[in-house]
Amino acid sequence: MKVLFVCLGNICRSPAAEGVFLHVLDERGLSSQFVVDSAGTSSFHVGERADARMREHAGRRGIELPSRARQFVANDFKTFDAIIVMDDSNYENCLKLAKSDEDQKRLLKMADFCPQSGLSEVPDPYYGGAQGFEQVLDMVQEGCENLLKKWGY
Ligand code: 4NP
C-alpha cells in the first residue's frame, strides 16, 4: 500500500506524519508492505529537510524525520492509494487537482482519525511555540494508529 501525507509547506506536519507512520511500521514489522512519502501543496520549501523544531520534538520521542520537501502533483493520485491531508485548505488544494471520483476517494483528513484531539484539522505549528509541535505529534501518532486499524493492520 502506498501512502502520502500532505500539508502546506512539507516541512512540519506531513514530515512528522511520515516519520511517525514509518516508525510505527518498523515497530510492527510492516515496513515491507508500505511505501510512504510526504508532500506540500506549496513550493515554498522544496528541497528542505523537515523544520529543525519539528525534528527536535520528534527526536525526543525516538522518531526520525527523513523527508525532503517536494510539491504535491496531480500524478500523486495515480501513484498513491491514500493521500492524508492535515487541514481543510490542504484538502481543497488537493481536490482541485483530482480528475475523478476515484481520485477524490483517495483523499482523507488526518484529523478524522484523531478523535482524542477533538479537532477537525491538524493545526499549523510553524508560527507558534513548542506546544504546537507536541500537539502535531500527539495527533499524528493517534491518527497513524487508527489509519492502520482502518486498513486492517
Ligand atoms: P507545514 O507548516 O505546512 O506543516 O509544513 C508550514 C511550514 C511553512 C509555512 C507554512 C506552514 N510557510 O508559510 O512557510
PDB file of all heavy atoms in Angstrom, residues 131-153:
ATOM      1  N   GLN A 131       4.503  23.948  22.163  1.00  0.00           N
ATOM      2  CA  GLN A 131       3.279  23.179  22.404  1.00  0.00           C
ATOM      3  C   GLN A 131       2.622  22.763  21.084  1.00  0.00           C
ATOM      4  O   GLN A 131       2.046  21.673  20.989  1.00  0.00           O
ATOM      5  CB  GLN A 131       2.331  24.010  23.276  1.00  0.00           C
ATOM      6  CG  GLN A 131       1.186  23.242  23.911  1.00  0.00           C
ATOM      7  CD  GLN A 131      -0.040  23.221  23.000  1.00  0.00           C
ATOM      8  OE1 GLN A 131      -0.206  24.117  22.186  1.00  0.00           O
ATOM      9  NE2 GLN A 131      -0.867  22.192  23.135  1.00  0.00           N
ATOM     10  N   GLY A 132       2.734  23.602  20.067  1.00  0.00           N
ATOM     11  CA  GLY A 132       2.138  23.287  18.767  1.00  0.00           C
ATOM     12  C   GLY A 132       2.782  22.073  18.115  1.00  0.00           C
ATOM     13  O   GLY A 132       2.108  21.263  17.479  1.00  0.00           O
ATOM     14  N   PHE A 133       4.100  21.947  18.284  1.00  0.00           N
ATOM     15  CA  PHE A 133       4.810  20.808  17.693  1.00  0.00           C
ATOM     16  C   PHE A 133       4.462  19.512  18.429  1.00  0.00           C
ATOM     17  O   PHE A 133       4.302  18.459  17.818  1.00  0.00           O
ATOM     18  CB  PHE A 133       6.324  21.072  17.689  1.00  0.00           C
ATOM     19  CG  PHE A 133       6.712  22.156  16.731  1.00  0.00           C
ATOM     20  CD1 PHE A 133       6.765  23.486  17.136  1.00  0.00           C
ATOM     21  CD2 PHE A 133       6.977  21.863  15.406  1.00  0.00           C
ATOM     22  CE1 PHE A 133       7.081  24.508  16.241  1.00  0.00           C
ATOM     23  CE2 PHE A 133       7.301  22.863  14.499  1.00  0.00           C
ATOM     24  CZ  PHE A 133       7.349  24.192  14.925  1.00  0.00           C
ATOM     25  N   GLU A 134       4.321  19.635  19.753  1.00  0.00           N
ATOM     26  CA  GLU A 134       3.903  18.471  20.545  1.00  0.00           C
ATOM     27  C   GLU A 134       2.491  18.039  20.148  1.00  0.00           C
ATOM     28  O   GLU A 134       2.196  16.842  20.033  1.00  0.00           O
ATOM     29  CB  GLU A 134       3.963  18.804  22.047  1.00  0.00           C
ATOM     30  CG  GLU A 134       5.373  18.915  22.595  1.00  0.00           C
ATOM     31  CD  GLU A 134       6.133  17.593  22.487  1.00  0.00           C
ATOM     32  OE1 GLU A 134       5.604  16.557  22.935  1.00  0.00           O
ATOM     33  OE2 GLU A 134       7.257  17.590  21.951  1.00  0.00           O
ATOM     34  N   GLN A 135       1.616  19.017  19.944  1.00  0.00           N
ATOM     35  CA  GLN A 135       0.231  18.709  19.556  1.00  0.00           C
ATOM     36  C   GLN A 135       0.190  17.978  18.206  1.00  0.00           C
ATOM     37  O   GLN A 135      -0.556  17.012  18.043  1.00  0.00           O
ATOM     38  CB  GLN A 135      -0.582  20.005  19.477  1.00  0.00           C
ATOM     39  CG  GLN A 135      -2.039  19.787  19.110  1.00  0.00           C
ATOM     40  CD  GLN A 135      -2.809  21.095  19.060  1.00  0.00           C
ATOM     41  OE1 GLN A 135      -2.324  22.090  18.510  1.00  0.00           O
ATOM     42  NE2 GLN A 135      -3.988  21.106  19.632  1.00  0.00           N
ATOM     43  N   VAL A 136       1.006  18.434  17.253  1.00  0.00           N
ATOM     44  CA  VAL A 136       1.069  17.754  15.948  1.00  0.00           C
ATOM     45  C   VAL A 136       1.477  16.292  16.142  1.00  0.00           C
ATOM     46  O   VAL A 136       0.862  15.374  15.584  1.00  0.00           O
ATOM     47  CB  VAL A 136       2.065  18.467  14.995  1.00  0.00           C
ATOM     48  CG1 VAL A 136       2.352  17.618  13.761  1.00  0.00           C
ATOM     49  CG2 VAL A 136       1.527  19.836  14.589  1.00  0.00           C
ATOM     50  N   LEU A 137       2.512  16.071  16.957  1.00  0.00           N
ATOM     51  CA  LEU A 137       2.995  14.698  17.163  1.00  0.00           C
ATOM     52  C   LEU A 137       1.948  13.843  17.860  1.00  0.00           C
ATOM     53  O   LEU A 137       1.742  12.681  17.477  1.00  0.00           O
ATOM     54  CB  LEU A 137       4.310  14.717  17.948  1.00  0.00           C
ATOM     55  CG  LEU A 137       5.512  15.229  17.149  1.00  0.00           C
ATOM     56  CD1 LEU A 137       6.674  15.586  18.062  1.00  0.00           C
ATOM     57  CD2 LEU A 137       5.941  14.196  16.101  1.00  0.00           C
ATOM     58  N   ASP A 138       1.281  14.409  18.879  1.00  0.00           N
ATOM     59  CA  ASP A 138       0.216  13.650  19.556  1.00  0.00           C
ATOM     60  C   ASP A 138      -0.869  13.251  18.550  1.00  0.00           C
ATOM     61  O   ASP A 138      -1.322  12.103  18.534  1.00  0.00           O
ATOM     62  CB  ASP A 138      -0.436  14.492  20.668  1.00  0.00           C
ATOM     63  CG  ASP A 138       0.480  14.681  21.864  1.00  0.00           C
ATOM     64  OD1 ASP A 138       1.454  13.911  22.004  1.00  0.00           O
ATOM     65  OD2 ASP A 138       0.208  15.605  22.660  1.00  0.00           O
ATOM     66  N   MET A 139      -1.266  14.212  17.715  1.00  0.00           N
ATOM     67  CA  MET A 139      -2.342  13.925  16.768  1.00  0.00           C
ATOM     68  C   MET A 139      -1.927  12.884  15.740  1.00  0.00           C
ATOM     69  O   MET A 139      -2.670  11.941  15.462  1.00  0.00           O
ATOM     70  CB  MET A 139      -2.817  15.209  16.069  1.00  0.00           C
ATOM     71  CG  MET A 139      -3.637  16.116  16.971  1.00  0.00           C
ATOM     72  SD  MET A 139      -4.344  17.528  16.088  1.00  0.00           S
ATOM     73  CE  MET A 139      -5.708  16.746  15.205  1.00  0.00           C
ATOM     74  N   VAL A 140      -0.749  13.044  15.152  1.00  0.00           N
ATOM     75  CA  VAL A 140      -0.382  12.104  14.084  1.00  0.00           C
ATOM     76  C   VAL A 140      -0.074  10.714  14.646  1.00  0.00           C
ATOM     77  O   VAL A 140      -0.278   9.718  13.959  1.00  0.00           O
ATOM     78  CB  VAL A 140       0.742  12.623  13.157  1.00  0.00           C
ATOM     79  CG1 VAL A 140       0.332  13.942  12.500  1.00  0.00           C
ATOM     80  CG2 VAL A 140       2.063  12.759  13.863  1.00  0.00           C
ATOM     81  N   GLN A 141       0.374  10.654  15.907  1.00  0.00           N
ATOM     82  CA  GLN A 141       0.585   9.319  16.498  1.00  0.00           C
ATOM     83  C   GLN A 141      -0.749   8.585  16.630  1.00  0.00           C
ATOM     84  O   GLN A 141      -0.870   7.419  16.263  1.00  0.00           O
ATOM     85  CB  GLN A 141       1.319   9.433  17.849  1.00  0.00           C
ATOM     86  CG  GLN A 141       2.816   9.704  17.633  1.00  0.00           C
ATOM     87  CD  GLN A 141       3.667   9.559  18.887  1.00  0.00           C
ATOM     88  OE1 GLN A 141       3.373  10.153  19.917  1.00  0.00           O
ATOM     89  NE2 GLN A 141       4.736   8.796  18.789  1.00  0.00           N
ATOM     90  N   GLU A 142      -1.761   9.302  17.138  1.00  0.00           N
ATOM     91  CA  GLU A 142      -3.087   8.685  17.243  1.00  0.00           C
ATOM     92  C   GLU A 142      -3.635   8.355  15.842  1.00  0.00           C
ATOM     93  O   GLU A 142      -4.164   7.263  15.598  1.00  0.00           O
ATOM     94  CB  GLU A 142      -4.060   9.630  17.969  1.00  0.00           C
ATOM     95  CG  GLU A 142      -5.421   8.988  18.199  1.00  0.00           C
ATOM     96  CD  GLU A 142      -6.498   9.964  18.669  1.00  0.00           C
ATOM     97  OE1 GLU A 142      -6.259  11.188  18.702  1.00  0.00           O
ATOM     98  OE2 GLU A 142      -7.608   9.477  18.972  1.00  0.00           O
ATOM     99  N   GLY A 143      -3.478   9.313  14.930  1.00  0.00           N
ATOM    100  CA  GLY A 143      -4.018   9.141  13.581  1.00  0.00           C
ATOM    101  C   GLY A 143      -3.386   7.969  12.839  1.00  0.00           C
ATOM    102  O   GLY A 143      -4.076   7.202  12.159  1.00  0.00           O
ATOM    103  N   CYS A 144      -2.075   7.816  12.967  1.00  0.00           N
ATOM    104  CA  CYS A 144      -1.394   6.726  12.255  1.00  0.00           C
ATOM    105  C   CYS A 144      -1.853   5.365  12.768  1.00  0.00           C
ATOM    106  O   CYS A 144      -2.051   4.425  11.977  1.00  0.00           O
ATOM    107  CB  CYS A 144       0.121   6.878  12.378  1.00  0.00           C
ATOM    108  SG  CYS A 144       0.773   8.225  11.365  1.00  0.00           S
ATOM    109  N   GLU A 145      -2.018   5.257  14.089  1.00  0.00           N
ATOM    110  CA  GLU A 145      -2.528   4.001  14.659  1.00  0.00           C
ATOM    111  C   GLU A 145      -3.920   3.700  14.107  1.00  0.00           C
ATOM    112  O   GLU A 145      -4.223   2.556  13.720  1.00  0.00           O
ATOM    113  CB  GLU A 145      -2.617   4.100  16.199  1.00  0.00           C
ATOM    114  CG  GLU A 145      -1.290   4.314  16.893  1.00  0.00           C
ATOM    115  CD  GLU A 145      -0.438   3.053  16.985  1.00  0.00           C
ATOM    116  OE1 GLU A 145      -0.950   1.963  16.658  1.00  0.00           O
ATOM    117  OE2 GLU A 145       0.742   3.178  17.352  1.00  0.00           O
ATOM    118  N   ASN A 146      -4.766   4.705  14.062  1.00  0.00           N
ATOM    119  CA  ASN A 146      -6.144   4.486  13.602  1.00  0.00           C
ATOM    120  C   ASN A 146      -6.227   4.222  12.098  1.00  0.00           C
ATOM    121  O   ASN A 146      -7.092   3.479  11.637  1.00  0.00           O
ATOM    122  CB  ASN A 146      -7.028   5.670  14.002  1.00  0.00           C
ATOM    123  CG  ASN A 146      -7.374   5.622  15.481  1.00  0.00           C
ATOM    124  OD1 ASN A 146      -7.515   4.538  16.059  1.00  0.00           O
ATOM    125  ND2 ASN A 146      -7.512   6.786  16.107  1.00  0.00           N
ATOM    126  N   LEU A 147      -5.318   4.823  11.331  1.00  0.00           N
ATOM    127  CA  LEU A 147      -5.285   4.530   9.895  1.00  0.00           C
ATOM    128  C   LEU A 147      -4.916   3.064   9.669  1.00  0.00           C
ATOM    129  O   LEU A 147      -5.529   2.374   8.842  1.00  0.00           O
ATOM    130  CB  LEU A 147      -4.295   5.451   9.176  1.00  0.00           C
ATOM    131  CG  LEU A 147      -4.798   6.868   8.921  1.00  0.00           C
ATOM    132  CD1 LEU A 147      -3.643   7.801   8.554  1.00  0.00           C
ATOM    133  CD2 LEU A 147      -5.865   6.886   7.815  1.00  0.00           C
ATOM    134  N   LEU A 148      -3.920   2.596  10.422  1.00  0.00           N
ATOM    135  CA  LEU A 148      -3.525   1.182  10.269  1.00  0.00           C
ATOM    136  C   LEU A 148      -4.696   0.258  10.620  1.00  0.00           C
ATOM    137  O   LEU A 148      -4.922  -0.747   9.940  1.00  0.00           O
ATOM    138  CB  LEU A 148      -2.300   0.875  11.132  1.00  0.00           C
ATOM    139  CG  LEU A 148      -0.963   1.301  10.536  1.00  0.00           C
ATOM    140  CD1 LEU A 148       0.156   1.125  11.539  1.00  0.00           C
ATOM    141  CD2 LEU A 148      -0.660   0.507   9.258  1.00  0.00           C
ATOM    142  N   LYS A 149      -5.430   0.630  11.667  1.00  0.00           N
ATOM    143  CA  LYS A 149      -6.614  -0.162  12.047  1.00  0.00           C
ATOM    144  C   LYS A 149      -7.630  -0.178  10.910  1.00  0.00           C
ATOM    145  O   LYS A 149      -8.166  -1.223  10.539  1.00  0.00           O
ATOM    146  CB  LYS A 149      -7.283   0.461  13.277  1.00  0.00           C
ATOM    147  CG  LYS A 149      -6.981  -0.262  14.565  1.00  0.00           C
ATOM    148  CD  LYS A 149      -7.797   0.305  15.713  1.00  0.00           C
ATOM    149  CE  LYS A 149      -6.910   0.439  16.936  1.00  0.00           C
ATOM    150  NZ  LYS A 149      -7.402   1.372  17.932  1.00  0.00           N
ATOM    151  N   LYS A 150      -7.893   1.004  10.354  1.00  0.00           N
ATOM    152  CA  LYS A 150      -8.851   1.135   9.248  1.00  0.00           C
ATOM    153  C   LYS A 150      -8.456   0.236   8.079  1.00  0.00           C
ATOM    154  O   LYS A 150      -9.312  -0.335   7.405  1.00  0.00           O
ATOM    155  CB  LYS A 150      -8.898   2.594   8.798  1.00  0.00           C
ATOM    156  CG  LYS A 150      -9.614   2.876   7.482  1.00  0.00           C
ATOM    157  CD  LYS A 150      -9.381   4.324   7.066  1.00  0.00           C
ATOM    158  CE  LYS A 150      -9.772   4.577   5.604  1.00  0.00           C
ATOM    159  NZ  LYS A 150     -11.206   4.457   5.363  1.00  0.00           N
ATOM    160  N   TRP A 151      -7.135   0.109   7.854  1.00  0.00           N
ATOM    161  CA  TRP A 151      -6.651  -0.687   6.719  1.00  0.00           C
ATOM    162  C   TRP A 151      -6.452  -2.155   7.097  1.00  0.00           C
ATOM    163  O   TRP A 151      -5.876  -2.926   6.329  1.00  0.00           O
ATOM    164  CB  TRP A 151      -5.353  -0.079   6.169  1.00  0.00           C
ATOM    165  CG  TRP A 151      -5.575   1.285   5.558  1.00  0.00           C
ATOM    166  CD1 TRP A 151      -6.694   1.695   4.873  1.00  0.00           C
ATOM    167  CD2 TRP A 151      -4.688   2.416   5.565  1.00  0.00           C
ATOM    168  NE1 TRP A 151      -6.568   2.996   4.463  1.00  0.00           N
ATOM    169  CE2 TRP A 151      -5.341   3.468   4.871  1.00  0.00           C
ATOM    170  CE3 TRP A 151      -3.413   2.634   6.084  1.00  0.00           C
ATOM    171  CZ2 TRP A 151      -4.750   4.728   4.693  1.00  0.00           C
ATOM    172  CZ3 TRP A 151      -2.831   3.876   5.910  1.00  0.00           C
ATOM    173  CH2 TRP A 151      -3.494   4.910   5.217  1.00  0.00           C
ATOM    174  N   GLY A 152      -6.884  -2.510   8.289  1.00  0.00           N
ATOM    175  CA  GLY A 152      -6.894  -3.916   8.666  1.00  0.00           C
ATOM    176  C   GLY A 152      -5.614  -4.444   9.286  1.00  0.00           C
ATOM    177  O   GLY A 152      -5.403  -5.663   9.336  1.00  0.00           O
ATOM    178  N   TYR A 153      -4.754  -3.524   9.787  1.00  0.00           N
ATOM    179  CA  TYR A 153      -3.499  -3.961  10.426  1.00  0.00           C
ATOM    180  C   TYR A 153      -3.604  -3.849  11.943  1.00  0.00           C
ATOM    181  O   TYR A 153      -4.385  -3.099  12.462  1.00  0.00           O
ATOM    182  CB  TYR A 153      -2.325  -3.115   9.924  1.00  0.00           C
ATOM    183  CG  TYR A 153      -1.993  -3.397   8.488  1.00  0.00           C
ATOM    184  CD1 TYR A 153      -2.521  -2.594   7.487  1.00  0.00           C
ATOM    185  CD2 TYR A 153      -1.182  -4.482   8.134  1.00  0.00           C
ATOM    186  CE1 TYR A 153      -2.237  -2.842   6.157  1.00  0.00           C
ATOM    187  CE2 TYR A 153      -0.896  -4.720   6.802  1.00  0.00           C
ATOM    188  CZ  TYR A 153      -1.426  -3.913   5.820  1.00  0.00           C
ATOM    189  OH  TYR A 153      -1.148  -4.157   4.519  1.00  0.00           O
TER     190      TYR A 153
END
